[in-house]
């Protein structure tokens, strides 16, 4: 499930540096926001998987299985025939309600402020694998209930959604023990700097970093403590907590 791939298919050699820089920007976003998003996707296993879905654009809801109603924000759309991604904020032909593209617009603003082409370019060549990365980043950034790739045949919608019952599941699973379970899965599934991804994840979970020398990280939340050790390449070599 390692989805980190080049975002743009360019053939000219002078574009290789730009491709590398974009990949690095993408990777840093996963390190910063991916832990929280990944954790929530684990909770969705069996909740919405394989259930039929339906979009009610007027009500700004996606309905899973006919009875699970979730408010949503549309991030963008992917065309299977052209292998291109189009941000919802740049979709001028569909006349989308402003209420469902607000967080797409926030990503555009974030990209402009931090010079991230991924969020600034209206339409670009991509792959289906990247849809999950976009959803993962946005889910973590906006602390949503999760993300969903809704395939409709000719293409796919990528959205993040919220539902109180699903949030309750997240809350029930929000234990110290779970942190040590999620971390190995996170670094196994994504091509990330282990040290950066783990530190951002712990901070997102409201842990206080009490020791950090680059090779060892100690974080505390209440009476719970977790410590992680790294080699000189920032790869995780030990985890206790």
């Amino acid at each position: 499930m390692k989805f980190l791939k080049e975002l743009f298919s360019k053939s000219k050699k002078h574009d290789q540096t730009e491709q590398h820089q974009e990949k690095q920007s993408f990777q840093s976003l996963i390190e910063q926001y991916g832990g929280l998003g990944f954790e929530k996707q684990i909770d969705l296993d069996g909740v919405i998987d394989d259930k039929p879905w339906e979009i009610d654009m007027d009500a700004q809801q996606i309905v899973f299985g006919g009875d699970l109603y979730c408010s949503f924000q549309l991030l963008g759309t992917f065309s299977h025939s052209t292998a291109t991604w189009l941000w919802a904020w740049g979709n001028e032909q569909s006349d989308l309600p402003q209420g469902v593209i607000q967080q797409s617009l926030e990503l555009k603003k974030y990209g402009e402020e931090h010079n991230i082409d991924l969020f600034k370019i209206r339409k670009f060549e991509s792959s289906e694998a990247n849809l999950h990365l976009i959803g993962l980043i946005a889910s973590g950034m906006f602390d949503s209930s999760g993300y969903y790739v809704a395939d409709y045949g000719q293409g796919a919608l990528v959205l993040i959604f919220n539902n109180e019952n699903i949030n309750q599941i997240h809350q029930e699973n929000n234990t110290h023990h779970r942190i040590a379970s999620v971390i190995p899965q996170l670094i196994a599934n994504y091509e990330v700097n282990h040290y950066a991804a783990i530190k951002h994840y712990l901070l997102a979970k409201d842990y206080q970093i009490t020791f950090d020398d680059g090779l060892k990280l100690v974080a505390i939340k209440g009476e719970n403590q977790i410590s992680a050790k790294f080699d000189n390449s920032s790869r995780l070599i030990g985890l206790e907590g």
Side-chain angles (χ1 to χ4, degrees), residues 77-131:
T77 54
F78 177 77
S79 168
H80 292 309
S81 61
T82 62
T84 54
W85 169 260
L86 174 63
W87 283 106
W89 58 259
N91 191 337
E92 300 171 352
Q93 295 182 338
S94 297
D95 194 25
L96 296 168
Q98 285 295 305
V100 302
I101 65 170
Q102 287 303 309
Q103 289 179 340
S104 172
L105 286 166
E106 289 182 41
L107 289 175
K108 179 176 183 286
K109 181 179 179 182
Y110 186 90
E112 292 168 346
E113 292 175 347
H114 296 83
N115 195 29
I116 301 174
D117 286 344
L118 170 69
F119 296 152
K120 295 191 300 179
I121 297 176
R122 172 180 170 271
K123 185 177 183 179
F124 53 84
E125 294 180 11
S126 188
S127 70
E128 292 185 46
N130 286 333
L131 306 185

Side-chain angles (χ1 to χ4, degrees), residues 213-230:
D213 66 356
L215 294 175
K216 184 177 181 179
L217 195 65
V218 179
I220 294 177
K221 184 178 181 181
E223 298 180 352
N224 297 314
Q225 175 178 300
I226 189 165
S227 62
K229 294 182 180 179
F230 305 88

Side-chain angles (χ1 to χ4, degrees), residues 9-102:
S9 299
K10 299 176 182 178
S11 60
K12 296 182 180 180
K13 292 183 178 180
H14 70 265
D15 288 328
Q16 291 179 352
T17 298
E18 183 178 347
Q19 288 179 331
H20 177 72
Q21 291 173 343
E22 186 61 34
K23 181 178 179 180
Q24 292 302 107
S25 296
F26 210 171
Q27 180 176 325
S28 68
L29 287 168
I30 297 168
E31 290 164 358
Q32 188 169 356
Y33 300 107
L36 197 59
F38 177 70
E39 175 189 275
K40 292 184 176 183
Q41 290 304 115
I42 295 175
D43 291 341
L44 295 177
D45 186 26
V47 177
I48 62 174
D49 291 349
D50 300 324
K51 289 187 177 181
W53 58 272
E54 183 178 359
I55 292 284
D56 186 335
M57 197 64 73
D58 292 331
Q60 299 180 16
Q61 290 183 325
I62 181 170
V63 186
F64 296 102
D67 57 4
L68 181 59
Y69 292 81
C70 307
S71 61
F72 76 92
Q73 286 284 306
L74 180 63
L75 302 177
T77 54
F78 177 77
S79 168
H80 292 309
S81 61
T82 62
T84 54
W85 169 260
L86 174 63
W87 283 106
W89 58 259
N91 191 337
E92 300 171 352
Q93 295 182 338
S94 297
D95 194 25
L96 296 168
Q98 285 295 305
V100 302
I101 65 170
Q102 287 303 309

Side-chain angles (χ1 to χ4, degrees), residues 168-198:
Q168 183 62 35
I169 294 173
H170 294 327
Q171 186 60 36
E172 292 171 356
N173 291 333
N174 186 22
T175 65
H176 174 73
H177 175 72
R178 191 185 197 205
I179 300 291
S181 172
V182 170
I183 286 175
Q185 296 180 71
L186 175 66
I187 63 177
N189 282 309
Y190 298 95
E191 184 183 334
V192 292
N193 177 292
H194 293 185
Y195 168 81
I198 292 169

